[in-house]
Amino acid sequence: KSNPDIKYAQTIIAPQQVAGNINLDTPFAKKEVRQAMMLAIDHPTIVADFYDGQAELLDSPARKWYRSIYTPLEEQNETVQALYGYDPDRAKELLTNAGYPTGFKMNVQMQNAPASEEAFAIMKEYWSKVGIDVEGIVLEPTVFSSVWTGRKYDDDLILSALPGGDGSLFVRYSMGYFRGPNAFNLSCVNDPPGTDPVIENAYEVQCANVMINYPAADAVTKETWKYVLEQAFLIPMPAPWGYRIWQPWVKNYYGAGAVKFWLRWAWIDQDLKQS
């Protein structure tokens, strides 16, 4: 209001997501439980009320800006569409089918950051209505970084904005979010490689086509992300919008990110700044 000439660009902030080692004997290892955890959360209401409509309902593992690997929610199958809705009764049915008719209890390790704590509070409230009792273990940033990079959460869950990401290039063509022992594969999917044939096949197709035939690499990635969403390897919150803001006298800048490659082209209009 005080500076109506201010410039800004909308961005998307990586969503907070719950992950867990699917290879261990925990409730999270069962697809029905993970799907129940999704169905128990009222994603559309969170977007509408908590974020005032300024959030993406579906943003992971690929966001809408990456059109070659992104599939809008309305083009996903009925199962995936339901997961991003709200159906606590169906969630209870799935928990019963999975062997947890009265629910279960798990710990969630997370960083002491406002975004994580807000996401945890919302998830905890929704899950409690279907019998899922989660207790938060809040860690200092350095401790949390060690837990994250070393995957030291054992049979606990972990909450962060790190797994699943936004379709970034460095993991898009390696299945890095869902393959092998790397820090971004927090649910330990296809780890060791080959244990999930769908993910492993996609990786092989990518390897054969990256730098040679990117449309083919993108096509298999796009189809595999549909499979990933139905498996619910990650339990995401909506991804809120963010904004980059700059003064109007900063010219030839349009809201680029933290890597300052754009500085060589940006310039200051000193006359405009003075006025």
Side-chain angles (χ1 to χ4, degrees):
K1 293 180 179 179
S2 65
N3 190 351
D5 295 323
I6 203 77
K7 303 293 183 181
Y8 68 89
Q10 181 206 323
T11 65
I12 300 174
I13 299 172
Q16 294 287 322
Q17 306 189 74
V18 165
N21 190 335
I22 65 169
N23 302 308
L24 301 179
D25 186 18
T26 69
F28 192 79
K30 296 185 177 182
K31 180 179 73 172
E32 293 83 359
V33 169
R34 300 193 300 269
Q35 290 180 335
M37 294 174 77
M38 286 289 294
L39 290 166
I41 299 172
D42 191 346
H43 303 270
T45 294
I46 294 172
V47 170
D49 294 348
F50 185 71
Y51 291 118
D52 198 25
Q54 299 190 50
E56 300 295 322
L57 189 60
L58 174 62
D59 185 65
S60 174
R63 61 184 36 162
K64 62 184 181 182
W65 292 335
Y66 301 112
R67 297 179 182 179
S68 61
I69 60 172
Y70 175 78
T71 302
L73 187 59
E74 59 270 19
E75 297 179 16
Q76 301 281 351
N77 64 34
E78 292 183 1
T79 299
V80 172
Q81 291 186 38
L83 295 181
Y84 285 84
Y86 181 48
D87 192 343
D89 291 334
R90 177 58 179 158
K92 292 178 181 178
E93 290 179 7
L94 288 174
L95 289 174
T96 298
N97 295 340
Y100 302 98
T102 60
F104 59 87
K105 183 175 182 178
M106 290 189 76
N107 295 326
V108 180
Q109 300 194 38
M110 62 182 180
Q111 185 176 339
N112 63 339
S116 295
E117 293 171 359
E118 288 177 342
F120 176 76
I122 293 172
M123 288 176 157
K124 178 179 176 66
E125 178 68 19
Y126 277 118
W127 286 337
S128 68
K129 297 176 182 179
V130 298
I132 299 174
D133 181 11
V134 290
E135 180 177 348
I137 299 176
V138 183
L139 306 172
E140 294 296 324
T142 53
V143 177
F144 179 82
S145 294
S146 176
V147 169
W148 161 46
T149 56
R151 297 200 293 185
K152 299 175 182 177
Y153 38 91
D154 299 322
D155 56 358
D156 289 345
L157 301 174
I158 185 169
L159 170 67
S160 76
L162 302 170
D166 57 10
S168 300
L169 187 68
F170 76 105
V171 286
R172 185 192 310 179
Y173 298 122
S174 67
M175 283 288 142
Y177 294 137
F178 306 102
R179 182 183 186 274
N182 74 85
F184 291 96
N185 182 14
L186 285 179
S187 286
C188 305
V189 181
N190 196 28
D191 182 14
T195 52
D196 188 313
V198 175
I199 300 292
E200 192 64 14
N201 175 72
Y203 174 74
E204 295 294 336
V205 175
Q206 287 178 333
C207 288
N209 287 283
V210 169
M211 306 282 297
I212 300 172
N213 185 348
Y214 275 108
D218 283 347
V220 73
T221 304
K222 182 174 183 175
E223 288 305 308
T224 307
W225 282 173
K226 296 176 184 178
Y227 163 79
V228 164
L229 291 174
E230 184 170 345
Q231 297 297 310
F233 292 131
L234 301 168
I235 314 298
M237 285 279 286
W241 296 353
Y243 295 90
R244 295 197 177 102
I245 303 173
W246 64 97
Q247 295 285 7
W249 59 75
V250 179
K251 298 296 186 178
N252 216 28
Y253 172 66
Y254 304 96
V259 181
K260 303 299 190 292
F261 64 86
W262 48 265
L263 274 174
R264 70 185 73 178
W265 295 290
W267 59 283
I268 303 295
D269 186 331
Q270 296 289 358
D271 292 336
L272 181 60
K273 183 177 181 180
Q274 182 62 31
S275 68

